[in-house]
Amino acid sequence: NAGVMQNPRHLVRRRGQEARLRCSPMKGHSHVYWYRQLPEEGLKFMVYLQKENIIDESGMPKERFSAEFPKEGPSILRIQQVVRGDSAAYFCASSPPGQGLAFFGQGTRLTVV
Amino acid sequence: QKEVEQDPGPLSVPEGAIVSLNCTYSNSAFQYFMWYRQYSRKGPELLMYTYSSGNKEDGRFTAQVDKSSKYISLFIRDSQPSDSATYLCAMNLQADKLIFGTGTRLQVFP
């Protein structure tokens, strides 16, 4: 049973470009979380989704950031017009329905130059 | 006040020592309590989880939850250099976002 798959593992974008981060949950998991981690800091919640529905986006910046989890395919975290402050590790986690456990992927390290 | 408080360390111990890692929290409604281990530049790995209160043991690791004190602990027996990592506590309500502590950096030296 494959774990949570994130790609790409590393992503370099110039300021003003768009970044798309993908996350495929574990088999049988219907819920996905996105977290951001800055160097030497903890994990900050961004958004919690189930298929075709955003459950909680209280941690998402109001502008430039969006997330989706379509009926088919991976969850996507999209950052438009990236700035240097967006440079961070972005982690996705998935959980089975009705449970509080979450299993993480290896993350996407975004560098904005 | 943060919802989850965790001492960032670093904590440095000799090989073979018993390690105690702790977190306190403020929301009495939390139901799931988890410990993750994160190696440098890797994703968090779920080590232990407890639903509601009590103890749970898995090999060299023991997780304890004291809901009356809003305090959780992770004990590592016979610590090894390979245990050197950052340990994050996390907790949530059922089917809700996880709230993380800031993580404690542990160094086990030979």
Side-chain angles (χ1 to χ4, degrees):
Chain A
N1 187 13
V4 177
M5 304 300 291
Q6 288 189 249
N7 65 81
R9 292 292 307 277
H10 301 276
L11 182 61
V12 179
R13 284 288 178 265
R14 295 187 184 279
R15 280 179 294 169
Q17 290 185 320
E18 178 180 287
R20 280 186 178 236
L21 288 63
R22 288 177 290 278
C23 169
S24 296
M26 289 176 71
K27 188 177 181 181
H29 288 193
S30 56
H31 293 73
V32 163
Y33 309 80
W34 285 93
Y35 284 80
R36 176 162 62 178
Q37 188 175 42
L38 293 169
E40 305 301 320
E41 291 190 14
L43 289 150
K44 302 297 183 189
F45 169 76
M46 298 182 75
V47 63
Y48 173 35
L49 312 103
Q50 67 179 137
K51 282 193 182 288
E52 299 184 286
N53 186 31
I54 296 174
I55 300 173
D56 182 346
E57 56 181 347
S58 58
M60 287 278 271
K62 295 287 184 255
E63 297 177 351
R64 303 187 297 109
F65 285 73
S66 62
E68 62 176 7
F69 189 14
K71 188 176 179 181
E72 302 289 339
S75 174
I76 306 285
L77 178 67
R78 183 181 176 205
I79 311 172
Q80 295 178 291
Q81 299 177 317
V82 296
V83 301
R84 288 224 170 105
D86 297 332
S87 296
Y90 291 83
F91 290 99
C92 167
S94 71
S95 68
Q99 291 190 29
L101 301 181
F103 299 86
F104 281 80
Q106 290 301 311
T108 294
R109 276 171 178 76
L110 172 66
T111 302
V112 180
V113 296
Chain B
Q1 182 191 8
K2 289 183 179 178
E3 278 192 282
V4 179
E5 299 272 5
Q6 184 175 11
D7 187 334
L11 183 60
S12 186
V13 302
E15 184 175 356
I18 296 175
V19 176
S20 172
L21 303 164
N22 313 293
C23 288
T24 58
Y25 62 94
S26 57
N27 188 345
S28 57
F30 284 141
Q31 293 181 300
Y32 283 85
F33 301 90
M34 286 150 279
W35 286 96
Y36 288 85
R37 177 174 63 194
Q38 187 176 25
Y39 292 111
S40 181
R41 304 187 71 77
K42 299 288 187 184
E45 171 194 1
L46 181 62
L47 265 182
M48 302 279 290
Y49 73 91
T50 309
Y51 176 69
S52 192
S53 59
N55 296 355
K56 191 168 185 178
E57 188 173 321
D58 184 2
R60 296 185 296 111
F61 298 91
T62 300
Q64 289 184 351
V65 175
D66 181 350
K67 293 194 81 174
S68 62
S69 302
K70 296 181 192 159
Y71 187 87
I72 69 170
S73 300
L74 177 71
F75 297 96
I76 307 174
R77 290 182 297 281
D78 187 26
S79 55
Q80 304 294 310
S82 58
D83 294 328
S84 299
T86 297
Y87 289 80
L88 300 135
C89 64
M91 49 201 77
N92 63 354
L93 309 175
Q94 186 173 2
D96 195 7
K97 65 190 179 198
L98 282 82
I99 307 298
F100 279 87
T102 51
T104 299
R105 195 147 45 102
L106 171 67
Q107 179 76 35
V108 181
F109 56 90

